[in-house]
Amino acid sequence: MAKVLVVTSGKGGVGKTTSTAALGAALAKTGANVAIVDFDVGLRNLDLVMGAERRVVFDLINVINGDAKLNQALIRDKRIDTLSLLPASQTRDKDALTEDGVDRVIGEMREKFDYILCDSPAGIERGATLAMRHADVAIVTTNPEVSSVRDSDRIIGLLDSKTMKAENDERIDKFLLLTRYDPARAERGEMLKVDDVLEILSIPLLAVVPESQDVLKASNLGMPVTLGSPASIASKAYTDAARRLMGEDVQIQIPTDRRGLFGKIFARKAA
Amino acid sequence: MNLLELFRKKSSAPVARERLQIILAHERAALGNSDLVAQLREEILAVIAKHMPIDHDKVKVAMDRGNEVSLLEVEVELPLHDQQGEPVRLAATG
């Protein structure tokens, strides 16, 4: 049965789009049929992070308005053939998203895909509430930083009240995805620790994605990090997260690239 | 700055953690009731204005959310003279 996931956060710039791309690619690599949907109407970027910006013809709003069929708007990834992207409109604004339209598109997608990942816009307005509306699972993307944690708390409140699951008195699964984490700074007391954020938000942990230079490198190249740098610590975290989302019991660990002197020498030779 | 301060490690994360715990406890409790402070301010001022003229620009309202108790501070400046320069007599006007 299809699963709809929303990648959300409240605050902007914490890594929702990066995480949607990385998780979508990691899920699709297992052979599952995956669609990633950009809900950030007016400020689309998932196409750019996926390297598909020059292939956009139709978008989510076109499908909602009936100007295009879902199949015409979906962009099949060139690297993984089980991964598709439904881009957002760049010229319209969030008012073009209608509740009925989103209901219909997500309903149709549930027939075609195993996983549908919705990349939410920042904020708590229409775009964000429509992105989370159909979700079975929410991935609350948070940086270990006060404003991000506060906004995530607000989003968790919305997930418990504004989603269809909440309206039907069902439970929506919520997971924390802690991104841009620096274990060394946390150890020195300069950054909130994983346990601090978990205690404050009190939702289960999906994964901790360490701060990594490979994330920017991959987005520069239009690659999800799980495809562009599969060996990087960020990819490791996202791949583990994807396995957990598929129901595997994977022990949570924070990947590090701290190696001994020999490790560094060999790594360099290998590269 | 003395030498001790140079060597003492300053941890900012525990401060972040405590501030978050306090503000979120309040925000969760006040959900859907976020204009409570503004409402309190208006009602308190209305009561004072019933008895004496007050200048709405000379009212300070502050909220200090603490771990155990929260403090709502309302500071009202009472004029000694009214706009005509007459001394203000504190008496019921309404």
Side-chain angles (χ1 to χ4, degrees):
Chain A
M1 213 176 78
K3 231 182 204 179
V4 179
L5 302 94
V6 62
V7 180
T8 185
S9 71
K11 189 176 181 302
V14 298
K16 285 182 295 297
T17 302
T18 304
S19 299
T20 305
L23 288 171
L27 285 167
K29 267 209 272 191
T30 68
N33 270 319
V34 179
I36 52 179
V37 187
D38 193 345
F39 269 83
D40 204 347
V41 178
L43 291 168
R44 77 165 170 228
N45 273 319
L46 191 55
D47 56 331
L48 201 52
V49 170
M50 290 297 294
E53 70 277 12
R54 294 195 295 179
R55 300 174 62 205
V56 177
V57 183
F58 295 114
D59 56 53
L60 174 62
I61 302 298
N62 292 139
V63 181
I64 284 178
N65 291 345
D67 304 330
K69 293 238 156 60
L70 176 61
N71 268 334
Q72 297 174 307
L74 284 169
I75 302 169
R76 175 83 62 91
D77 192 87
K78 286 194 167 158
R79 300 150 297 205
I80 311 174
D81 61 5
T82 52
L83 180 60
S84 298
L85 161 72
L86 181 57
S89 165
Q90 181 70 338
T91 50
R92 309 291 292 273
D93 63 36
K94 289 178 180 72
D95 294 335
L97 283 173
T98 61
E99 203 173 293
D100 286 349
V102 173
D103 285 2
R104 197 161 37 75
V105 174
I106 297 288
E108 197 178 334
M109 293 185 89
R110 275 186 192 270
E111 308 285 312
K112 289 178 190 287
F113 295 99
D114 301 316
Y115 294 96
I116 300 146
L117 269 79
C118 304
D119 182 17
S120 171
I124 52 173
E125 278 90 39
R126 188 181 183 78
T129 49
L130 281 177
M132 68 172 64
R133 183 164 170 76
H134 293 270
D136 305 303
V137 178
I139 299 169
V140 181
T141 313
T142 308
N143 289 168
E145 182 268 326
V146 286
S147 55
S148 175
V149 176
R150 183 197 211 174
D151 290 0
S152 289
D153 191 75
R154 192 74 198 280
I155 282 291
I156 291 169
L158 288 183
L159 288 166
D160 287 333
S161 59
K162 292 275 167 94
T163 52
M164 300 238 306
K165 284 243 169 192
E167 284 169 11
N168 296 334
D169 276 332
E170 289 173 69
R171 221 191 48 166
I172 173 165
D173 283 325
K174 303 176 291 280
F175 295 105
L176 175 70
L177 181 68
L178 193 61
T179 54
R180 309 202 68 165
Y181 189 70
D182 185 335
R185 294 197 75 184
E187 206 43 60
R188 288 199 298 271
E190 299 171 9
M191 182 183 268
L192 289 166
K193 289 194 167 127
V194 179
D195 287 341
D196 293 334
V197 183
L198 281 175
E199 192 196 323
I200 291 167
L201 294 179
S202 49
I203 54 172
L205 182 62
L206 179 65
V208 180
V209 183
E211 177 80 61
S212 160
Q213 300 190 353
D214 293 304
V215 172
L216 179 61
K217 205 166 37 177
S219 87
N220 285 343
L221 301 173
M223 299 253 224
V225 69
T226 40
L227 288 187
S229 312
S232 75
I233 50 174
S235 291
K236 170 110 183 54
Y238 282 122
T239 305
D240 282 0
R243 289 170 62 194
R244 261 173 233 126
L245 288 172
M246 298 184 85
E248 264 186 71
D249 188 15
V250 186
Q251 212 205 327
I252 297 211
Q253 47 180 320
I254 306 165
T256 55
D257 52 4
R258 213 178 299 154
R259 306 187 203 95
L261 183 60
F262 283 105
K264 275 188 183 148
I265 291 167
F266 283 119
R268 197 141 324 148
K269 271 193 180 159
Chain B
M1 190 195 292
N2 64 34
L3 268 177
L4 260 178
E5 266 176 65
L6 263 179
F7 289 107
R8 194 184 301 138
K9 266 195 189 164
K10 259 198 185 157
S11 298
S12 53
V15 182
R17 183 191 140 100
E18 201 191 323
R19 288 176 57 218
L20 273 169
Q21 279 172 330
I22 292 171
I23 189 67
L24 289 180
H26 286 277
E27 285 183 354
R28 287 167 187 161
L31 208 72
N33 197 10
S34 54
D35 56 352
L36 176 68
V37 174
Q39 204 182 326
L40 279 173
R41 172 185 189 270
E42 285 314 308
E43 286 180 22
I44 291 169
L45 290 182
V47 170
I48 298 172
K50 236 164 86 176
H51 299 284
M52 63 190 72
I54 50 172
D55 184 344
H56 274 249
D57 294 332
K58 298 203 168 134
V59 177
K60 268 197 270 175
V61 182
M63 186 76 166
D64 188 6
R65 298 181 159 101
N67 232 343
E68 298 298 323
V69 286
S70 294
L71 192 68
L72 173 69
E73 232 176 299
V74 184
E75 198 180 305
V76 184
E77 200 175 298
L78 302 178
L80 287 177
H81 301 278
D82 64 17
Q83 278 152 344
Q84 283 78 41
E86 294 291 314
V88 171
R89 289 186 176 83
L90 301 186
T93 54

